[in-house]
Amino acid sequence: MQSLIRIVIVVLFLAAIAAFTFSYTVRFTESAVTTTFGRAGDGAIQDEPGLKFKWPYPIQSVTKYDQRLRLLQAKSATQQTADDSQIVVEAFATWRVSDPLKFYQRFSNAGQRSADHFRQAQENLAARLTSAMGETSKFRLSELFTAEQNASQLPQLEDRMFAAISASTDGAPSLTEYGVEVTSVGINRIELPAETTTKVIERMGANRDRLAQELESQGTARATAIEAQAQADAEKIRRFADRRASEIRARGEREAAEFLAQMNENVELAVFLQNLELMREAMAKRFTFIMSEDDFGFSLFNPRAIAESEGLPSLGGDPVESEQASIEGGRP
């Protein structure tokens, strides 16, 4: 019984070794490159997921590549803009293996493992991305940073960086020849150096001073225009008032001339009518009329006149009237 158990264990062990040696699995996120005696030819790519078979090493070997997107983060680098400003740019790129066979042929000299191939490819892409960040020199600082909505040219800078990293430069082949596809390039941070920040603040202050001067000049010009318009309107109103007053004055003089001509026909009657009109207007309301006692007919209003008239004879023969007059004169 123990012998049978040993035999089963040995068989299972040999079967596991054979399975490991003669087969491999490919995940749905991977592609495999099968090489025969170190060479990869047509049909070497296995991109269908599942169990695959191969000859044992060293006849055949399998290198698997993960085809999911990978993130490349470039180091921050100081870049110069078109207006000679210094900014610190930090960019990133997303990429993946598009052709496993070309990728293997280009980077297999980095080592036996796929991780070594990815490391060398990433170093190559990092150098390209750093070089592509030089496209910043084709944009002005005011074009990259603006207060207007959707007016920044950062997307255009990212597009130029994407074109620069994808194209062949300085005799180097394009990324398609490396079996690599860059899907996106972006800028995730831009900073200003200390000296650039100072210059930007000074420039902003100068712009604010310029805008303040422009607004002040516009306000002065506007005030001058309003004042001139007000003076013109006032002069127009004054001329109209003077002309209207002259017309009214001329009309009054004409009517007065007609009235005076009528009055001059009979001066005494005119004076009498004016006196009547004056008395009518004066006596239309309650008034106090003051006359001197020396005027004719008003001397009897003087209290001394009664005392002086005591010695005068009565003018009537009626004894009642005489008695009444005597009483009113003060005699008993």
Side-chain angles (χ1 to χ4, degrees):
M1 187 65 182
Q2 293 180 351
S3 300
L4 181 61
I5 294 175
R6 291 192 185 98
I7 294 173
V8 171
I9 293 175
V10 171
V11 171
L12 291 176
F13 180 74
L14 293 176
I17 294 176
F20 179 78
T21 305
F22 290 94
S23 66
Y24 63 95
T25 58
V26 178
R27 298 179 181 178
F28 69 94
T29 58
E30 296 176 335
S31 291
V33 177
T34 304
T35 59
T36 303
F37 296 109
R39 295 182 180 181
D42 295 337
I45 299 176
Q46 298 291 335
D47 51 8
E48 292 294 332
L51 181 64
K52 310 294 181 181
F53 296 97
K54 68 179 182 66
W55 292 104
Y57 183 82
I59 300 175
Q60 286 186 328
S61 61
V62 178
T63 305
K64 301 177 185 179
Y65 296 116
D66 192 338
Q67 289 191 304
R68 290 177 293 183
L69 289 177
R70 307 174 74 89
L71 176 64
L72 171 64
Q73 182 69 52
K75 296 181 180 180
S76 300
T78 302
Q79 303 292 335
Q80 185 172 0
T81 60
D83 53 353
D84 297 332
S85 297
Q86 299 291 330
I87 58 176
V88 179
V89 180
E90 183 177 308
F92 68 92
T94 56
W95 64 283
R96 67 183 183 88
V97 177
S98 59
D99 191 332
L101 180 58
K102 290 183 178 180
F103 189 82
Y104 176 82
Q105 292 171 349
R106 287 289 180 179
F107 300 108
S108 60
N109 57 352
Q112 297 294 328
R113 301 180 305 163
S114 61
D116 298 330
H117 305 170
F118 278 117
R119 184 181 67 254
Q120 186 175 4
Q122 190 143 325
E123 290 175 356
N124 184 282
L125 288 174
R128 285 174 172 263
L129 181 58
T130 302
S131 176
M133 289 164 60
E135 295 293 323
T136 307
S137 62
K138 299 179 181 179
F139 295 85
R140 300 175 63 87
L141 188 63
S142 58
E143 295 174 343
L144 299 178
F145 302 98
T146 176
E148 299 179 4
Q149 187 177 8
N150 299 327
S152 174
Q153 296 189 15
L154 281 174
Q156 288 82 342
L157 173 58
E158 293 175 344
D159 292 340
R160 295 184 68 92
M161 291 174 58
F162 179 83
I165 196 175
S166 301
S168 58
T169 55
D170 299 332
S174 62
L175 293 181
T176 55
E177 298 181 20
Y178 285 97
V180 173
E181 178 188 5
V182 175
T183 57
S184 66
V185 175
I187 297 175
N188 56 339
R189 187 171 63 179
I190 294 180
E191 296 179 350
L192 297 177
E195 59 275 9
T196 304
T197 303
T198 303
K199 292 180 181 179
V200 170
I201 293 175
E202 292 176 354
R203 186 176 301 176
M204 291 175 61
N207 290 335
R208 291 296 181 267
D209 294 340
R210 178 179 55 82
L211 291 175
Q213 291 178 358
E214 291 180 357
L215 293 175
E216 185 177 357
S217 300
Q218 293 176 1
T220 302
R222 183 61 177 168
T224 302
I226 293 174
E227 184 178 357
Q229 184 64 34
Q231 292 178 355
D233 294 341
E235 184 64 25
K236 185 184 297 183
I237 294 173
R238 189 181 299 110
R239 289 196 301 267
F240 174 78
D242 292 342
R243 184 172 63 254
R244 183 61 177 168
S246 299
E247 293 176 356
I248 295 174
R249 189 181 300 109
R251 180 179 177 183
E253 291 177 355
R254 288 195 302 269
E255 293 178 355
E258 295 177 359
F259 180 75
L260 292 176
Q262 294 176 359
M263 295 294 104
N264 288 331
E265 293 179 0
N266 193 334
V267 178
E268 295 179 356
L269 177 60
V271 173
F272 177 73
L273 292 176
Q274 288 296 320
N275 289 334
L276 290 179
E277 182 67 19
L278 177 61
M279 292 181 66
R280 184 182 65 82
E281 294 179 356
M283 296 180 182
K285 300 179 181 179
R286 185 177 180 180
F287 72 100
T288 301
F289 187 69
I290 301 174
M291 296 294 294
S292 175
E293 62 183 16
D294 295 332
D295 292 337
F296 179 78
F298 291 93
S299 59
L300 294 179
F301 287 97
N302 190 341
R304 295 191 303 273
I306 299 175
E308 293 175 356
S309 64
E310 290 181 354
L312 295 178
S314 176
L315 298 178
D318 191 351
V320 177
E321 294 180 357
S322 299
E323 183 177 0
Q324 184 177 359
S326 298
I327 294 172
E328 291 177 353
R331 293 193 302 268

Short mmCIF file of all heavy atoms in Angstrom, two decimals, residues 263-275:
data_model
loop_
_atom_site.label_atom_id
_atom_site.label_comp_id
_atom_site.label_asym_id
_atom_site.label_seq_id
_atom_site.Cartn_x
_atom_site.Cartn_y
_atom_site.Cartn_z
N MET A 263 -54.87 156.07 -23.01
CA MET A 263 -54.89 156.94 -21.84
C MET A 263 -54.56 158.39 -22.19
O MET A 263 -55.07 159.33 -21.58
CB MET A 263 -53.90 156.43 -20.78
CG MET A 263 -54.25 155.08 -20.18
SD MET A 263 -55.76 155.09 -19.18
CE MET A 263 -56.90 154.28 -20.34
N ASN A 264 -53.70 158.58 -23.19
CA ASN A 264 -53.29 159.93 -23.56
C ASN A 264 -54.40 160.70 -24.28
O ASN A 264 -54.31 161.93 -24.44
CB ASN A 264 -52.04 159.88 -24.44
CG ASN A 264 -50.81 159.49 -23.64
OD1 ASN A 264 -50.76 159.78 -22.45
ND2 ASN A 264 -49.86 158.83 -24.29
N GLU A 265 -55.42 160.00 -24.73
CA GLU A 265 -56.53 160.71 -25.37
C GLU A 265 -57.29 161.59 -24.37
O GLU A 265 -57.80 162.66 -24.73
CB GLU A 265 -57.48 159.69 -26.01
CG GLU A 265 -56.86 158.95 -27.19
CD GLU A 265 -57.81 157.94 -27.77
OE1 GLU A 265 -58.95 157.83 -27.23
OE2 GLU A 265 -57.44 157.25 -28.75
N ASN A 266 -57.40 161.15 -23.09
CA ASN A 266 -58.05 161.95 -22.04
C ASN A 266 -57.32 161.65 -20.74
O ASN A 266 -57.61 160.68 -20.05
CB ASN A 266 -59.54 161.58 -21.90
CG ASN A 266 -60.29 162.61 -21.05
OD1 ASN A 266 -59.69 163.28 -20.21
ND2 ASN A 266 -61.60 162.74 -21.28
N VAL A 267 -56.35 162.49 -20.44
CA VAL A 267 -55.47 162.23 -19.31
C VAL A 267 -56.22 162.29 -18.00
O VAL A 267 -56.05 161.43 -17.12
CB VAL A 267 -54.30 163.24 -19.31
CG1 VAL A 267 -53.39 163.00 -18.11
CG2 VAL A 267 -53.50 163.13 -20.61
N GLU A 268 -57.09 163.30 -17.83
CA GLU A 268 -57.80 163.44 -16.57
C GLU A 268 -58.72 162.24 -16.32
O GLU A 268 -58.82 161.72 -15.20
CB GLU A 268 -58.60 164.73 -16.56
CG GLU A 268 -57.72 165.99 -16.61
CD GLU A 268 -58.56 167.26 -16.63
OE1 GLU A 268 -59.80 167.13 -16.67
OE2 GLU A 268 -57.96 168.35 -16.58
N LEU A 269 -59.42 161.81 -17.37
CA LEU A 269 -60.28 160.65 -17.22
C LEU A 269 -59.47 159.40 -16.89
O LEU A 269 -59.88 158.57 -16.08
CB LEU A 269 -61.09 160.43 -18.51
CG LEU A 269 -61.99 159.18 -18.54
CD1 LEU A 269 -63.03 159.25 -17.41
CD2 LEU A 269 -62.69 159.04 -19.89
N ALA A 270 -58.31 159.29 -17.49
CA ALA A 270 -57.44 158.14 -17.23
C ALA A 270 -56.99 158.13 -15.77
O ALA A 270 -57.00 157.10 -15.12
CB ALA A 270 -56.24 158.17 -18.17
N VAL A 271 -56.64 159.33 -15.26
CA VAL A 271 -56.21 159.41 -13.87
C VAL A 271 -57.36 159.07 -12.94
O VAL A 271 -57.21 158.35 -11.95
CB VAL A 271 -55.63 160.79 -13.55
CG1 VAL A 271 -55.33 160.94 -12.07
CG2 VAL A 271 -54.35 161.03 -14.37
N PHE A 272 -58.56 159.60 -13.29
CA PHE A 272 -59.73 159.32 -12.46
C PHE A 272 -60.07 157.82 -12.45
O PHE A 272 -60.33 157.22 -11.40
CB PHE A 272 -60.92 160.14 -12.99
CG PHE A 272 -62.20 159.87 -12.25
CD1 PHE A 272 -62.40 160.35 -10.95
CD2 PHE A 272 -63.22 159.09 -12.82
CE1 PHE A 272 -63.58 160.08 -10.28
CE2 PHE A 272 -64.38 158.83 -12.13
CZ PHE A 272 -64.56 159.34 -10.85
N LEU A 273 -59.98 157.19 -13.61
CA LEU A 273 -60.26 155.75 -13.68
C LEU A 273 -59.22 154.94 -12.90
O LEU A 273 -59.55 153.95 -12.25
CB LEU A 273 -60.30 155.30 -15.14
CG LEU A 273 -61.48 155.85 -15.97
CD1 LEU A 273 -61.35 155.40 -17.43
CD2 LEU A 273 -62.82 155.38 -15.40
N GLN A 274 -58.00 155.37 -12.95
CA GLN A 274 -56.96 154.69 -12.20
C GLN A 274 -57.18 154.84 -10.71
O GLN A 274 -56.97 153.89 -9.94
CB GLN A 274 -55.58 155.24 -12.59
CG GLN A 274 -55.11 154.83 -13.99
CD GLN A 274 -54.92 153.33 -14.10
OE1 GLN A 274 -54.42 152.70 -13.19
NE2 GLN A 274 -55.32 152.77 -15.23
N ASN A 275 -57.64 156.04 -10.29
CA ASN A 275 -57.92 156.23 -8.88
C ASN A 275 -59.08 155.35 -8.42
O ASN A 275 -59.04 154.75 -7.33
CB ASN A 275 -58.22 157.70 -8.59
CG ASN A 275 -56.97 158.57 -8.71
OD1 ASN A 275 -55.87 158.07 -8.53
ND2 ASN A 275 -57.15 159.86 -9.03
#
